[in-house]
Amino acid sequence: MSAGPIPESSDAPRDGIPAPRATPLWRKAIPYLGTIAIFALIFWRIPIRKVEQALSQVPVLEFLAVFMPYSLFYCAIDSACLTWVVRRFNARMHYRDILPIRASMYVLALINTSLAQGGVAYYLHRKAGVSFLSALSSVLFIALLEVYQLFLFSTLGVIFYTPASAAQLRLVAILRLVYIAAWAILAGIITFFAIARRSARIRNWVETGRAGALLATFIQARPLDYLVVLAIKAPTFLASVVAQYYALALYGIAVPFVKLMLFLPLVFLAAALPIAVAHLGTSQAAWLLFFSSNASAAKIVAYSIAAQLTFMLCNALIGLVFLPRASRELTALRAEPASTSATA
């Protein structure tokens, strides 16, 4: 008697995608606890009523008029960068194919950035037929250089900014040491993979390791590729500084442009830490640390919350516009294997 098909293990990879592992409850709770703890510390120092009063004075429509064009510009450049990287390392895809999925993932990024990155990689895997982990490697390559884009402009800020106090002088001195270490790490990464491309033994060791597939793009990438991605992404940061500069002015806060260029990357880096929900909490703490001398603490907290939520809202609106098209395409891609097997 035939035993029938053996059921597939739930831990087995499907379509080249590793089976997801259950996240421990304590790890899921970390961002929520982190956000609560940071805001508790902030409002322990700053009366919440003052922040509420400052928030009521935010020019909402003016903020939308500033941040929506920036969000559209950011989405266009972000999609162009992803298109270039995919065409360079994975498959020949068009901008019109990348834009809807990249934009729609902004909605998911509000909840979890890693899920959004995985969603982009899954789309590339199904649409272009490339390995999921290879596609994810390209997404992570861009993510690494997004961090170094912030280091790049903040390094320029350190060079040109004149500290206004002894505390700022000490902070800038610390930043110089941090940036030297950060750039040394990037140089080490580029050098290591350059050696790996020339040494069959090292390349085999990397490619056969547990993270080999996730390093596929890094093995292929040459120094010029790093520079190209930084050059494509650079306008988004410059645009963010301009948007923040005018939004701060609309709210009655004057911050020198060079100071924004120096410290805004650190605000963005703090916001990217995986210890808070929707980047809230860490961002407000960083705004207080670097810009409390430019306005009252309550006004700085109110601005940081309003500006961040406005930018997130603009991104979400753009994502929602493209979400139906991206959803239809993903549904069609999932249906293709079934239709293929039915006609076989």
Side-chain angles (χ1 to χ4, degrees):
M1 186 172 70
S2 173
I6 300 174
E8 185 179 346
S9 170
S10 60
D11 295 328
R14 293 183 298 107
D15 294 331
I17 305 175
R21 296 180 180 179
T23 304
L25 184 61
W26 63 268
R27 188 175 294 176
K28 292 180 180 179
I30 287 177
Y32 298 94
L33 296 176
T35 302
I36 293 171
I38 293 169
F39 273 116
L41 288 172
I42 290 174
F43 293 128
W44 178 61
R45 289 182 51 218
I46 307 167
I48 192 169
R49 288 294 179 88
K50 289 187 176 181
V51 177
E52 290 177 351
Q53 184 180 4
L55 277 171
S56 67
Q57 299 169 0
V58 171
V60 177
L61 294 179
E62 287 86 345
F63 270 32
L64 285 171
V66 169
F67 284 106
M68 180 55 80
Y70 166 61
S71 291
L72 290 168
F73 179 76
Y74 179 89
C75 178
I77 297 296
D78 197 24
S79 301
C81 184
L82 180 60
T83 303
W84 187 89
V85 171
V86 169
R87 289 173 66 90
R88 170 71 177 85
F89 299 109
N90 302 111
R92 295 191 65 83
M93 294 188 66
H94 299 288
Y95 183 84
R96 63 177 179 271
D97 297 319
I98 297 290
L99 177 61
I101 193 68
R102 175 66 270 185
S104 63
M105 285 299 114
Y106 292 152
V107 179
L108 190 56
L110 297 178
I111 305 169
N112 190 303
T113 303
S114 298
L115 283 177
Q117 292 173 337
V120 172
Y122 175 76
Y123 171 79
L124 296 174
H125 162 67
R126 297 306 300 265
K127 180 72 175 179
V130 300
S131 161
F132 172 78
L133 292 179
S134 296
L136 186 58
S137 178
S138 292
V139 174
L140 294 178
F141 178 72
I142 295 174
L144 173 69
L145 292 180
E146 285 176 343
V147 172
Y148 272 96
Q149 174 202 204
L150 299 177
F151 277 124
L152 172 64
F153 285 102
S154 191
T155 301
L156 294 175
V158 166
I159 294 172
F160 293 107
Y161 181 69
T162 302
S165 66
Q168 285 188 3
L169 185 63
R170 289 193 296 271
L171 182 59
V172 169
I174 293 171
L175 288 177
R176 286 170 180 161
L177 294 176
V178 171
Y179 292 159
I180 290 172
W183 288 113
I185 290 172
L186 181 62
I189 291 172
I190 295 173
T191 302
F192 173 77
F193 287 111
I195 294 172
R197 285 194 298 275
R198 294 177 174 85
S199 171
R201 181 174 61 84
I202 297 177
R203 179 164 187 159
N204 182 67
W205 175 73
V206 173
E207 291 179 337
T208 57
R210 295 184 62 181
L214 279 176
L215 298 175
T217 296
F218 293 87
I219 293 175
Q220 298 178 64
R222 300 179 182 277
L224 182 60
D225 297 320
Y226 287 80
L227 292 175
V228 169
V229 173
L230 284 174
I232 295 173
K233 295 291 291 185
T236 60
F237 175 74
L238 293 174
S240 74
V241 177
V242 172
Q244 296 282 356
Y245 182 80
Y246 281 107
L248 284 161
L250 287 170
Y251 193 45
I253 301 176
V255 180
F257 192 85
V258 176
K259 185 177 180 180
L260 272 178
M261 185 171 287
L262 170 60
F263 293 124
L264 198 58
L266 302 179
V267 172
F268 292 160
L269 287 172
L273 293 174
I275 58 172
V277 177
H279 309 304
L280 292 169
T282 51
S283 177
Q284 282 65 53
W287 272 100
L288 277 174
L289 176 62
F290 300 121
F291 299 102
S292 58
S293 62
N294 296 96
S296 67
K299 197 164 188 177
I300 290 294
V301 172
Y303 171 80
S304 64
I305 293 174
Q308 188 171 346
L309 292 180
T310 303
F311 178 60
M312 291 166 62
L313 173 63
C314 291
N315 278 356
L317 290 174
I318 294 170
L320 288 173
V321 169
F322 286 97
L323 189 59
R325 177 179 168 185
S327 180
R328 287 195 302 270
E329 190 156 358
L330 284 172
T331 301
L333 290 172
R334 283 195 296 266
E336 282 180 7
S339 62
T340 302
S341 60
T343 57

